[in-house]
């Protein structure tokens, strides 16, 4: 990578907005997440979601950056498939049936709701990941996207999606039927026909491994800071 694109992250990244993204991360001293279409060494196109985490010293100065990449190519392909199918369904007046076919073929959980957010259908991956059928899930959580989502900002995300008629992406923490915790990244996409929202399609991808990796990095950073504080305290005791 260094030989091909250089040693600097600004040169190595294929994201056209990387300079602004990097500056935002550095100036705000907060993690920044973005998506990029890249080429592998074999010229294969892949989508990655990158989270850049700033590492701060005891004086709150940025001393390092840790970038974690997650391959979301299958998620992007599912999004493209859903959009493509929605156009075909508009012409053939078989909206829900063909969306179901596309959604059933992905490992991502898919929820289809009407224009008000009332859940109509989920795919097999939804049941496989969370352990609930649609009816069981409705009985436990509710029957609308607003009720079932574990995101504290779901109301704002849902209103933004409907108002702007554009996809929104958010992350939430969920509990499976077996009591396990899974982190899901949701892309909520409106299906627009004649400038009116006919359906809402939520595609969930399991990013639990990414979250665990982020937590591990955070724990390691805390441990390093604790060791640094201990060393400083020991040096102070020796000097006194």
């Amino acid at each position: 990578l260094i030989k091909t694109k250089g040693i600097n992250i600004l040169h190595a990244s294929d994201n056209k907005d990387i300079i602004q993204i990097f500056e935002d991360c550095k100036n705000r001293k907060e993690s920044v997440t973005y998506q990029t279409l890249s080429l592998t060494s074999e010229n294969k196109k892949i989508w990655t979601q990158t989270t850049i985490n700033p590492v701060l010293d005891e004086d709150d100065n940025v001393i390092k950056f840790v970038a974690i990449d997650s391959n979301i190519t299958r998620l992007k392909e599912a999004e493209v498939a859903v959009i493509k199918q929605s156009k075909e369904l508009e012409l053939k007046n078989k909206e829900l049936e063909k969306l179901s076919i596309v959604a059933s073929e992905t490992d991502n959980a898919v929820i289809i709701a009407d224009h008000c957010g009332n859940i109509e259908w989920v795919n097999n991956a939804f049941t496989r990941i969370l352990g609930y059928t649609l009816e069981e899930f409705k009985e436990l959580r509710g029957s609308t996207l607003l009720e079932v989502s574990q995101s504290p900002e779901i109301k704002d995300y849902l209103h933004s999606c409907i108002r702007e008629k554009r996809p929104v992406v958010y992350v939430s923490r969920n509990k499976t039927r077996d009591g396990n915790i899974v982190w899901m990244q949701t892309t909520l996409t409106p299906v627009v026909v004649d400038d009116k929202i006919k359906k809402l399609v939520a595609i969930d991808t399991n990013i639990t491994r990414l979250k665990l990796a982020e937590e591990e990095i955070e724990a390691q950073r805390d441990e390093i800071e604790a060791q640094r504080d201990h060393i400083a305290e020991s040096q102070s005791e020796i000097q006194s």
Side-chain angles (χ1 to χ4, degrees):
L1 179 64
I2 293 176
K3 183 178 180 181
T4 303
K5 296 188 176 183
I7 197 170
N8 193 291
I9 192 173
L10 300 182
H11 300 149
S13 176
D14 291 323
N15 192 294
K16 61 182 180 61
D17 299 318
I18 186 60
I19 294 178
Q20 184 61 52
I21 292 170
F22 187 77
E23 288 299 317
D24 288 345
C25 178
K26 181 171 64 175
N27 295 334
R28 298 205 312 259
K29 300 177 183 178
E30 296 178 351
S31 299
V32 177
T33 300
Y34 57 93
Q35 297 178 357
T36 308
L37 178 62
S38 305
L39 286 176
T40 69
S41 59
E42 299 174 347
N43 289 323
K44 179 182 178 181
K45 291 182 179 180
I46 61 168
W47 279 95
T48 57
Q49 176 171 288
T50 303
T51 299
I52 296 184
N53 301 281
V55 179
L56 309 179
D57 62 14
E58 57 187 5
D59 296 322
D60 204 34
N61 297 314
V62 179
I63 56 174
K64 288 185 182 296
F65 294 92
V66 178
I68 300 176
D69 287 342
S70 177
N71 190 335
I72 59 170
T73 304
R74 297 184 68 178
L75 171 62
K76 284 293 185 178
E77 290 173 349
E79 291 176 6
V80 171
V82 169
I83 293 172
K84 179 180 178 181
Q85 287 291 331
S86 68
K87 293 179 180 178
E88 294 179 358
L89 302 178
E90 176 185 351
L91 298 175
K92 299 177 182 179
N93 198 25
K94 294 182 179 178
E95 197 171 84
L96 185 57
E97 291 81 3
K98 290 196 175 182
L99 273 172
S100 300
I101 293 173
V102 176
S104 297
E105 294 178 353
T106 179
D107 289 334
N108 300 98
V110 178
I111 301 174
I112 296 179
D114 66 14
H115 66 286
C116 294
N118 298 306
I119 298 174
E120 299 177 339
W121 181 88
V122 298
N123 68 343
N124 293 333
F126 175 92
T127 301
R128 187 166 59 250
I129 293 173
L130 295 179
Y132 296 102
T133 65
L134 176 56
E135 293 307 316
E136 290 171 338
F137 199 67
K138 282 184 175 181
E139 185 176 348
L140 177 68
R141 300 271 184 87
S143 58
T144 70
L145 293 175
L146 193 61
E147 292 172 324
V148 303
S149 176
Q150 298 299 295
S151 171
E153 294 90 16
I154 183 57
K155 188 174 182 179
D156 293 335
Y157 290 131
L158 186 58
H159 287 175
S160 176
C161 177
I162 294 175
R163 182 179 64 252
E164 300 179 14
K165 298 175 183 176
R166 297 180 58 183
V168 294
V169 179
Y170 54 92
V171 174
S172 59
R173 181 177 181 269
N174 297 270
K175 181 178 289 188
T176 69
R177 186 169 191 166
D178 296 331
N180 297 319
I181 299 300
V182 292
W183 285 91
M184 307 292 283
Q185 176 178 284
T186 302
T187 299
L188 182 62
T189 303
V191 179
V192 182
V193 180
D194 295 331
D195 203 38
K196 294 182 179 179
I197 295 178
K198 296 296 183 180
K199 301 289 179 185
L200 294 169
V201 180
I203 301 177
D204 293 338
T205 184
N206 191 335
I207 59 168
T208 305
R209 289 186 178 181
L210 173 62
K211 278 293 183 179
L212 292 176
E214 291 177 352
E215 291 174 0
E216 183 177 348
I217 290 174
E218 184 69 24
Q220 291 176 352
R221 183 168 62 188
D222 291 343
E223 183 179 348
I224 291 173
E225 291 177 355
Q227 291 176 352
R228 183 165 54 230
D229 292 343
H230 178 69
I231 292 173
E233 184 178 331
S234 299
Q235 289 177 340
S236 177
E237 291 178 355
I238 293 173
Q239 291 173 357
S240 60

